[in-house]
Amino acid sequence: MHIKDFAGKTAFVTGGASGIGLGIAKVLVERGARVVIADLRADHIENALAQFAGGTGSNAVSALQLDVTSRDAYAEAAAKMQADFGGIDILVNNAGVGLEGPILKATYADYDFGFGVNIGGVINGFVSFLPQMIAHGRGGHIVSTASLAAEVVMPPHLAIYAASKAAVCHYCEAVKPELAEQGIGVSILLPGPIKSNIHQAIQNRPEHLRAGSGFAESEQKLSERVVGDTWMEPEEVGEMVARGILENSTYIVTHGIFKDWQRARSQAVLDATPDVENSAVRGI
Ligand code: NAI
Ligand code: GGE
């Protein structure tokens, strides 16, 4: 029931018009999948479709404009996928925003923006698409993009981001066994630094969450950051994701550069944990 190859499969990639999502879309198309790119930004969609134009897989790609935080729009998109393709086989919950700013300046607008897209968008993907992925009986796979930020104690100014990504990670881990019973595989993508437009969070903020934001200054500064030339190419991430889907890997990790921070966090939790004899008193 799990995905064994990509030929003839339909994939829905959120945030698929830029960066990591576009890298994933390119690799899935190369391997014979039909890919629907769902993205908030019309400029990114136009640029992405231009990159496929004239290529061998160009007629396997289409795009729709979708804000993953809009539940009504998401339900409509899922209904369209059911009508057009008999439902999707692969869902890539990748849309996310790299918002950052000092926590003492954060307002509810900032919390709502960060959690709304980064975890809310993932939940909306599961809720909108799970029924059709189960009903069509072909099995399938759901990949969600978290971050290595979920596995370390993050540097300052990234608390909302880290918390939203940790939520993605734990949600996916926890639902994996129940979805396995339905023939649906689950993977979590944990990237390190990848070449993308993640610094453009400010442009992805809806008008109603711009008003009252305490992060305007940080996001303006972030928008001027240049993409590092040692950062990984999105297509390389796409290759890792394709392999992760075929192997139904729980974790797809792109970089080993934060391993010491990952270990330190895990060790600190273990160090604070009472011994087995102590906790056996209460049990669960
Ligand atoms: P990106 O900004 O190049 O791509 C994200 C795409 O998502 C953009 O095209 C944007 O228009 C779209 N998007 C934003 N808000 C949306 C919404 N509400 N609805 C639909 N689409 C929306 O950035 P990148 O880096 O490719 O980001 C993809 C994912 O990877 C994000 O979840 C990000 O947090 C995660 N990530 C990125 C890392 C990096 O180093 N670039 C590292 C770790 C995780
Ligand atoms: C490349 O840009 C970013 C960003 O602006 C915010 C977050 C991230 C990338 C990623 O999710 C990761 C980088 O791999 O998060 C970190 C950011 C900064 C330091 C450590 C990080 O993860 C361990």
Side-chain angles (χ1 to χ4, degrees):
M1 290 275 272
H2 287 148
I3 300 285
K4 301 220 166 56
D5 68 84
F6 297 106
K9 300 292 195 302
T10 301
F12 188 89
V13 183
T14 71
S18 172
I20 295 173
L22 181 54
I24 295 170
K26 284 179 179 170
V27 172
L28 295 182
V29 166
E30 245 170 57
R31 296 190 180 205
R34 169 191 304 282
V35 173
V36 180
I37 286 171
D39 204 289
L40 177 71
R41 281 178 54 180
D43 59 332
H44 281 179
I45 288 176
E46 195 185 332
N47 170 63
L49 291 179
Q51 292 191 40
F52 286 102
T56 41
S58 65
N59 52 15
V61 184
S62 59
L64 60 87
Q65 201 170 354
L66 172 70
D67 179 345
V68 295
T69 68
S70 167
R71 291 178 174 165
D72 291 345
Y74 217 138
E76 235 177 80
K80 183 172 165 55
M81 295 303 105
Q82 181 61 45
D84 291 359
F85 309 114
I88 64 166
D89 303 284
I90 298 166
L91 170 62
V92 183
N93 288 311
N94 166 79
V97 286
L99 84 164
E100 59 178 69
I103 208 62
L104 298 181
K105 291 214 165 150
T107 67
Y108 283 129
D110 301 310
Y111 286 95
D112 288 348
F113 178 44
F115 285 108
V117 181
N118 291 357
I119 178 66
V122 171
I123 298 307
N124 293 346
F126 275 85
V127 172
S128 304
F129 276 119
L130 263 181
Q132 69 177 237
M133 291 178 77
I134 292 169
H136 65 48
R138 304 191 297 268
H141 200 94
I142 304 179
V143 182
S144 303
T145 306
S147 166
L148 278 172
E151 303 298 322
V152 304
V153 177
M154 282 294 274
H157 297 190
L158 285 156
I160 296 175
Y161 183 81
S164 68
K165 294 302 189 177
V168 171
C169 195
H170 277 243
Y171 175 83
C172 293
E173 289 166 346
V175 300
K176 182 159 174 147
E178 282 171 88
L179 299 192
E181 289 174 18
Q182 306 293 328
I184 297 171
V186 173
S187 298
I188 306 155
L189 175 61
L190 299 165
I194 316 294
K195 289 178 179 147
S196 80
N197 292 309
I198 195 172
H199 56 285
Q200 294 177 358
I202 199 166
Q203 291 187 50
N204 302 336
R205 221 186 238 270
E207 210 50 61
H208 74 284
L209 297 179
R210 228 171 262 253
S213 165
F215 283 5
E217 197 184 318
S218 316
E219 273 172 18
Q220 180 54 43
K221 230 174 106 191
L222 177 66
S223 73
E224 290 155 22
R225 191 184 70 188
V226 293
V227 176
D229 46 47
T230 60
W231 298 355
M232 191 179 279
E233 297 294 337
E235 293 76 11
E236 195 175 342
V237 183
E239 296 289 349
M240 292 178 177
V241 168
R243 190 176 336 125
I245 293 172
L246 297 175
E247 295 175 0
N248 191 17
S249 313
T250 303
Y251 308 107
I252 304 168
V253 186
T254 64
H255 289 67
I257 54 177
F258 299 120
K259 226 167 185 170
D260 287 344
W261 294 7
Q262 291 173 249
R263 210 175 274 119
R265 185 184 179 285
S266 301
Q267 193 59 52
V269 177
L270 287 171
D271 289 348
T273 305
D275 293 331
V276 173
E277 306 82 66
N278 176 328
S279 30
V281 176
R282 282 164 196 264
I284 47 167

